[in-house]
Amino acid sequence: MSESVTGYIDHVIFRNEENGYTVMILKGVEDEEELTCVGSFPVITMGASVELTGNYIQHPVYGKQFQAATLTEKMPEDAMAMERYLGSGAIKGIGAALAARIVRRFGRETLRIVEEEPERLAEVKGISEKKAREIAAQVSEKADMRKAMMFLQKYGISLNLGAKIYQKYGETVYSVLQENPYRLADDISGIGFKIADEIAYRIGIHTDSDYRIRSGMMYTLLQASGDGHVYLPREELFQRASELLGVDPSYMEKHLMDLSVDRKLVQKEENGVVLVYPTMYYYLELNTARMLKELDILYPEDPEMINRRIAQIEKETDTVLDEMQKKAVTEAACHGLFILTGGPGTGKTTTINAIIQYFEGEGAEIRLAAPTGRAAKRMTEATGYEAQTIHRLLELSGMPEDDNKSGQAVHFERNAENPLEADVIIIDEMSMVDIQLIHSLLQAIIAGTRLILVGDENQLPSVGPGNVLRDIIRSMAFPVVELKKIFRQASESDIVVNAHKINKGEQVVLDNKSRDFFFLKRYDADIIIRVVIALIQEKLPKYVEAKPFDIQVLTPMRKGLLGVERLNQILQRYLNPPDASKKERENAHGLFREGDKVMQIRNNYQMEWEIRGLYGIPIEKGIGVFNGDTGILRTINDFAETAEVEFEDGRWAEYSFKQLDELELAYAITIHKSQGSEYPAVVIPLLSGPRMLLNRNLLYTAVTRARKCVTVVGSEETFREMIRNEKQQQRYSSLDRRICETEE
């Protein structure tokens, strides 16, 4: 049977704002000098009089405590309680001395005066009329918020989300929840359709409500964008939304029109099929197509002069360019927009260097960039010129937390009003660039600046929506040079030769006579893992002259016996075992330990970083840590509740413990996450999995990530089936069609 205690909150020992769990000291309790109380409470006000219901418990370490199930805040009933409440710091601008003066002036009438005649507070020395109004507003707002948080808690809404919801809607929160809780999914970061749907269910909103169906359809489209799609065919949208909502697809036709009228969707008919776009993505493709066309300016250069310049570059750099490489330099010289593509070993880097030399000879200002820090670093090493990430090139600035909800793009300082100051911009690893990033880049480039896009269209497409490089090439609207010839030095590498064979669908010789491409046949997942550990710890580091942490395990899947999640737990035990000198921290993804190899798994546009010089002194600062950035977890500070990560490009970032769910272990990563990266050696465990996932495109990407050595461990049949399986996961994008429409 529960008991109740009444007293006032003297101070809080511990509080977790995520779930409201609180340890606090209550005073004024009958027969108790002070009482330690524990429980989860939505709002705590220091000095407030409260009634708790629950039970006394005996804690093995802290002794007698009151475990509270409910907390009811009572407004102060006497002058002393009122003075304590006002002087607790709960009301901004009132300290203990001023609280005493207010209560001395009004006595037991204080609370009524504050609520009903706040202007009279100005009778107290030190309080102006303006301050009196502010005090009254705060008291009222706190009472309103307390009431709202209690209301939201009834529907299972956490304190953090509750605070965000109240901040957004204030006193209208009641009508929003009762009428259309699906608004939360549109308006508030951290609330998706699923949470809104759960709240709606608890409130009693019908499954076939108009709001629910519209919100579910939008959620389905945005989920599809998470899989890389820019649109969905109408019938597929209806089918997916029907499965999500448990509602017949016939209900959706009317809502599709309503959403179009509200400009949340765009419908476009092509070849008798209606395509449905979230409005933002339709216009991103449309405007990207327009801006690409605007850059496509023809520069009439004398062919003889270009040939002489190329010959001079060959002589100065002691290189010999083949016909296609020379053609690439010529096309870059004659066009405002040029695309260079080709697989590994075909001389893309040599060609980029020749293009840089050509434009340097004209005194042009050249900027180089790539989508990731690792790719930018590789570009710098290959060219000798500084390359940046595209985000840094565009000077990313922090965006508001709810920016994504408003459908706005990330904010860059370089844009149409403040374009990049460059004559030539070269972007490498273009297969990784999604529709949002190319749109932001093009906005910052004025007509007359040459843009050169370099990439391998056979790599996996970008993680974000769109299929930018492939669509630009397929539009056949711009000059493209594809390098196909494998150069002599590269042809000595079986990594390069086999990558091209895989890409053409030709089978690879697996006799292990190669110096850099090995296949170890194993057919049991646990045995495969043992072999992988032996390779990383013992065999490969000496062979490729690298540390075990530099050797990357790449796997097709997240789940399963050879998925990222299981592999990371096992590899952590062997590559960074427990040690008394290493601090640890549990989080949503498992256990982190100092010294762990970690990866950022979502874009954080506001996270600050710094590059440190001698004695750890910051020499450069910036913002933005991105999906796929990898590094080492250097320190865990339990007192400050922070952890520091040193990324591969030398940036250091500090994470609060709450932000650690943005990281996961990276001893093994998915092949998708390895895009744009290169490692001394890669190990690919391969057994079985969904046919749609195990395809040629994925295997090609994995093999081309290795610089010195590829080792596949697993089933030969799965490997050969991947080469035969040329079916890529279909990605709905239409930039190529938008480009062709722009021509008309």
Side-chain angles (χ1 to χ4, degrees):
M1 189 166 160
S2 66
E3 302 177 63
S4 67
V5 296
T6 306
Y8 66 89
I9 300 169
D10 185 66
H11 65 277
V12 172
I13 296 170
F14 171 79
R15 181 163 171 81
N16 181 337
E17 290 298 344
E18 285 286 313
N19 56 24
Y21 180 76
T22 308
V23 181
M24 63 187 182
I25 297 296
L26 214 61
K27 284 193 174 178
V29 180
E30 197 177 328
D31 299 329
E32 300 279 357
E33 189 179 329
E34 58 179 43
L35 179 62
T36 303
C37 300
V38 296
S40 291
F41 315 117
V43 182
I44 287 292
T45 308
M46 301 285 245
S49 299
V50 294
E51 182 179 352
L52 305 178
T53 62
N55 295 100
Y56 284 98
I57 58 168
Q58 194 67 29
H59 192 279
V61 177
Y62 302 113
K64 184 180 177 184
Q65 293 183 342
F66 190 79
Q67 181 121 41
T70 67
L71 177 149
T72 308
E73 193 165 322
K74 302 160 104 44
M75 285 317 286
E77 291 174 356
D78 57 27
M80 187 181 285
M82 192 68 204
E83 184 177 331
R84 197 165 48 234
Y85 173 72
L86 289 175
S88 67
I91 307 297
K92 196 175 166 190
I94 299 184
L98 187 51
R101 288 208 299 277
I102 293 169
V103 173
R104 228 179 5 253
R105 175 75 181 81
F106 300 112
R108 296 186 66 152
E109 287 281 282
T110 302
L111 182 59
R112 188 192 64 76
I113 296 289
V114 170
E115 289 182 338
E116 297 173 16
E117 301 178 76
E119 67 281 356
R120 285 192 58 194
L121 289 172
E123 295 171 19
V124 178
K125 190 181 174 190
I127 300 182
S128 64
E129 283 186 25
K130 183 184 174 192
K131 190 167 184 177
R133 284 194 297 272
E134 285 172 0
I135 291 167
Q138 280 189 69
V139 170
S140 171
E141 190 185 337
K142 281 184 180 296
D144 291 343
M145 184 176 181
R146 210 159 32 244
K147 188 173 133 202
M149 295 297 268
M150 299 285 191
F151 172 77
L152 293 169
Q153 248 202 335
K154 282 195 306 190
Y155 299 115
I157 296 170
S158 73
L159 298 172
N160 252 14
L161 279 185
K164 276 187 180 180
I165 292 168
Y166 186 76
Q167 220 173 348
K168 176 74 181 172
Y169 301 120
E171 280 298 283
T172 64
V173 67
Y174 306 102
S175 59
V176 168
L177 283 190
Q178 298 292 354
E179 290 167 20
N180 177 17
Y182 296 99
R183 271 183 64 186
L184 273 60
D186 291 335
D187 296 345
I188 297 170
S189 176
I191 297 186
F193 171 79
K194 295 251 168 111
I195 292 176
D197 200 33
E198 207 175 301
I199 294 166
Y201 173 75
R202 286 182 177 151
I203 287 170
I205 286 175
H206 292 296
T207 54
D208 61 353
S209 110
D210 290 355
Y211 292 130
R212 180 171 188 264
I213 292 173
R214 282 180 215 163
S215 185
M217 287 169 72
M218 285 306 300
Y219 174 77
T220 302
L221 270 182
L222 294 172
Q223 283 293 100
S225 73
D227 294 331
H229 303 301
V230 172
Y231 67 84
L232 283 179
R234 182 176 61 184
E235 299 315 313
E236 190 169 334
L237 167 63
F238 285 1
Q239 193 53 46
R240 288 190 187 197
S242 171
E243 287 168 16
L244 170 77
L245 296 165
V247 170
D248 193 87
S250 60
Y251 278 86
M252 293 172 197
E253 187 67 52
K254 155 181 126 57
H255 296 298
L256 192 64
M257 192 50 67
D258 290 342
L259 287 164
S260 299
V261 169
D262 289 344
R263 299 190 174 183
K264 292 193 169 182
L265 300 179
V266 172
Q267 296 183 67
K268 192 166 178 69
E269 189 172 334
E270 290 184 6
N271 303 320
V273 178
V274 175
L275 313 180
V276 185
Y277 297 76
T279 301
M280 177 176 80
Y281 289 121
Y282 178 77
Y283 285 105
L284 279 173
E285 281 198 336
L286 196 66
N287 291 328
T288 295
R290 175 186 54 77
M291 290 187 287
L292 286 167
K293 293 299 290 180
E294 285 170 1
L295 289 179
D296 187 28
I297 298 169
L298 190 64
Y299 294 90
E301 301 280 358
D302 176 16
E304 280 303 311
M305 184 273 290
I306 293 173
N307 287 336
R308 283 198 303 274
R309 293 277 300 280
I310 290 172
Q312 187 183 347
I313 290 164
E314 287 179 307
K315 187 177 176 184
E316 287 172 0
T317 56
D318 195 24
T319 54
V320 178
L321 303 179
D322 74 358
E323 284 312 304
M324 291 308 286
Q325 290 176 310
K326 288 177 183 175
K327 186 184 178 190
V329 178
T330 303
E331 294 284 24
C334 296
H335 293 90
L337 178 64
F338 167 63
I339 297 95
L340 176 66
T341 184
T346 56
K348 288 199 301 289
T349 300
T350 304
T351 310
I352 292 169
N353 283 331
I355 290 170
I356 291 170
Q357 296 280 332
Y358 182 91
F359 285 115
E360 262 210 327
E362 292 195 338
E365 186 177 341
I366 305 164
R367 303 289 293 273
L368 274 57
T372 65
R374 193 186 268 268
K377 189 177 175 187
R378 279 174 56 205
M379 198 180 186
T380 300
E381 290 164 356
T383 63
Y385 291 81
E386 190 203 345
Q388 300 169 285
T389 63
I390 298 171
H391 285 89
R392 287 179 79 179
L393 176 75
L394 296 177
E395 297 172 21
L396 171 74
S397 92
M399 72 171 190
E401 200 176 317
D402 282 350
D403 206 36
N404 281 335
K405 288 288 178 186
S406 63
Q408 295 170 6
V410 176
H411 180 69
F412 293 106
E413 293 297 330
R414 293 290 180 174
N415 48 43
E417 284 75 45
N418 181 27
L420 289 162
E421 292 153 12
D423 302 306
V424 180
I425 296 170
I426 303 175
I427 307 292
D428 198 6
E429 294 288 358
M430 265 301 298
S431 62
M432 296 180 68
V433 175
D434 64 26
I435 190 65
Q436 288 168 296
L437 192 54
I438 189 72
H439 185 270
S440 296
L441 176 68
L442 293 171
Q443 281 186 312
I445 300 176
I446 52 172
T449 302
R450 284 179 168 88
L451 177 62
I452 297 162
L453 306 177
V454 184
D456 181 351
E457 70 162 317
N458 295 306
Q459 298 282 2
L460 289 168
S462 57
V463 174
N467 212 344
V468 174
L469 178 63
R470 189 167 293 185
D471 281 355
I472 291 173
I473 292 170
R474 283 183 181 174
S475 73
M476 299 197 299
F478 309 109
V480 177
V481 169
E482 182 181 3
L483 302 177
K484 293 180 179 176
K485 178 185 169 186
I486 302 174
F487 282 84
R488 186 183 61 78
Q489 191 178 353
S491 69
E492 293 169 6
S493 161
D494 285 318
I495 295 173
V496 172
V497 171
N498 289 343
H500 284 272
K501 282 185 174 179
I502 290 165
N503 193 37
K504 291 175 188 168
E506 298 170 9
Q507 288 299 337
V508 171
V509 176
L510 302 177
D511 58 8
N512 286 337
K513 290 180 180 174
S514 167
R515 286 181 301 171
D516 60 6
F517 197 102
F518 303 100
F519 198 106
L520 308 179
K521 296 171 192 175
R522 304 288 188 278
Y523 302 98
D524 176 273
D526 291 336
I527 292 170
I528 289 171
I529 292 171
R530 283 210 292 274
V531 172
V532 168
I533 291 165
L535 286 166
I536 297 171
Q537 284 190 312
E538 300 158 26
K539 311 279 188 210
L540 288 172
K542 285 181 188 169
Y543 191 71
V544 297
E545 299 172 324
K547 297 171 186 167
F549 268 38
D550 296 329
I551 296 159
Q552 189 61 56
V553 178
L554 300 180
T555 178
M557 293 160 294
R558 286 198 60 79
K559 307 281 184 188
L561 293 173
L562 293 176
V564 163
E565 292 172 9
R566 181 168 186 250
L567 282 170
N568 271 321
Q569 287 179 356
I570 296 168
L571 291 170
Q572 181 191 42
R573 287 205 298 270
Y574 287 89
L575 300 177
N576 188 28
D579 187 306
S581 67
K582 293 177 182 174
K583 290 182 181 168
E584 297 179 349
R585 174 74 187 177
E586 285 272 3
N587 91 318
H589 298 301
L591 178 81
F592 284 135
R593 183 177 294 130
E594 286 179 340
D596 272 336
K597 187 175 180 180
V598 293
M599 173 183 277
Q600 176 80 9
I601 57 169
R602 67 179 71 114
N603 290 337
N604 185 329
Y605 300 102
Q606 293 181 306
M607 181 163 282
E608 296 175 357
W609 52 260
E610 60 187 33
I611 293 173
R612 297 173 181 175
L614 205 58
Y615 309 117
I617 296 166
I619 54 173
E620 186 182 344
K621 292 188 175 187
I623 55 167
V625 177
F626 303 106
N627 189 352
D629 286 354
T630 54
I632 304 294
L633 182 61
R634 294 295 184 196
T635 63
I636 293 173
N637 185 330
D638 290 318
F639 179 74
E641 297 195 345
T642 58
E644 281 190 314
V645 174
E646 182 185 9
F647 289 101
E648 287 172 327
D649 54 7
R651 292 174 302 149
W652 286 72
E654 184 178 88
Y655 289 73
S656 69
F657 280 178
K658 282 182 187 175
Q659 291 172 312
L660 286 180
D661 63 354
E662 295 186 15
L663 293 172
E664 68 180 21
L665 295 174
Y667 300 102
I669 63 173
T670 61
I671 296 166
H672 271 92
K673 291 277 192 184
S674 72
Q675 284 173 271
S677 298
E678 191 179 72
Y679 310 95
V682 300
V683 180
I684 307 167
L686 210 55
L687 203 50
S688 61
R691 178 176 158 75
M692 184 51 87
L693 187 63
L694 298 178
N695 58 41
R696 182 188 300 174
N697 193 219
L698 196 77
L699 185 59
Y700 174 75
T701 300
V703 167
T704 54
R705 300 306 91 208
R707 193 162 55 243
K708 294 182 179 177
C709 181
V710 169
T711 309
V712 184
V713 188
S715 159
E716 182 183 357
E717 181 48 40
T718 301
F719 180 84
R720 297 205 180 284
E721 179 54 34
M722 283 181 85
I723 295 173
R724 286 192 290 269
N725 181 14
E726 58 180 322
K727 282 190 177 177
Q728 294 177 34
Q729 287 177 292
Q730 187 173 21
R731 179 170 280 215
Y732 296 117
S733 66
S734 51
L735 179 60
D736 51 345
R737 277 114 66 193
R738 299 294 86 82
I739 290 168
C740 295
E741 286 172 0
T742 310
E743 281 193 301
E744 290 167 8

